Amino acid sequence: MNDFVLDLTPLHNATNRLYEGWLRYQQDISDTQIRDGLVQRFEFTYEISHKMLKRYLEMASATPELFDQMPFQDLIRTGNEQGLLLGSWPDWRLYREMRGKTSHSYDEAVALEVVAGIPKFLAEASHLSEQLEKRMA
């Protein structure tokens, strides 16, 4: 039993909402309003996933301060080495680029690119959620 607690509710909720949005978008991929909402759900789920991964690694480490200044790339590699992530750094670099593109401007091509990457990211976020849940049990 772990002696620390990490509330995974925000990650579970975000992942569920992203999945719900994906299912709804699949019903009518021409609905730009649903697509835009799906992109926003991706943004939120990406941010929560990143934060939960970092919090868990900090809490599980004997030296949590190492993670405060750790570059994103090393954070992902550490999470991957510990089996928390499905994908490796190239996958997460793509998710990070997708997130970066959505935050700087809105463009139809960017929205479609992000939406195309959501299924793989959704599997990643779900895996992270499941792994953290097992470790917190």
Side-chain angles (χ1 to χ4, degrees):
M1 185 80 160
N2 293 313
D3 60 350
F4 58 87
V5 177
L6 180 62
D7 181 7
L8 299 172
T9 305
L11 180 59
H12 293 318
N13 289 344
T15 304
N16 288 337
R17 296 301 167 275
L18 182 59
Y19 180 68
E20 290 169 0
W22 177 254
L23 291 178
R24 183 134 181 236
Y25 178 69
Q26 293 307 299
Q27 294 173 6
D28 181 5
I29 62 170
S30 68
D31 188 332
T32 56
Q33 187 175 15
I34 297 297
R35 184 194 62 214
D36 295 350
L38 184 59
V39 169
Q40 288 181 323
R41 287 180 180 197
F42 160 75
E43 293 170 347
F44 184 73
T45 306
Y46 170 84
E47 295 297 332
I48 293 286
S49 296
H50 171 239
K51 288 177 183 174
M52 288 292 176
L53 173 63
K54 183 178 181 204
R55 285 181 192 155
Y56 175 80
L57 291 172
E58 286 173 340
M59 293 170 80
S61 175
T63 52
E65 60 277 357
L66 289 176
F67 295 97
D68 286 338
Q69 302 301 320
M70 183 177 279
F72 183 73
Q73 182 175 353
D74 293 340
L75 184 73
I76 295 304
R77 285 190 176 131
T78 302
N80 187 269
E81 289 167 3
Q82 292 190 21
L84 295 167
L85 305 175
L86 288 173
S88 60
W89 168 239
D91 298 310
W92 277 85
R93 182 177 57 223
L94 176 63
Y95 305 143
R96 188 176 201 187
E97 289 170 0
M98 288 167 46
R99 173 64 180 101
K101 288 177 182 178
T102 65
S103 64
H104 296 298
S105 67
Y106 184 82
D107 178 275
E108 183 85 10
V110 168
L112 292 171
E113 179 184 335
V114 169
V115 167
I118 286 177
K120 188 172 179 181
F121 175 76
L122 187 53
E124 185 72 63
S126 296
H127 179 78
L128 174 61
S129 181
E130 291 166 9
Q131 292 303 309
L132 292 177
E133 187 73 41
K134 284 179 187 176
R135 293 170 193 216
M136 296 307 298

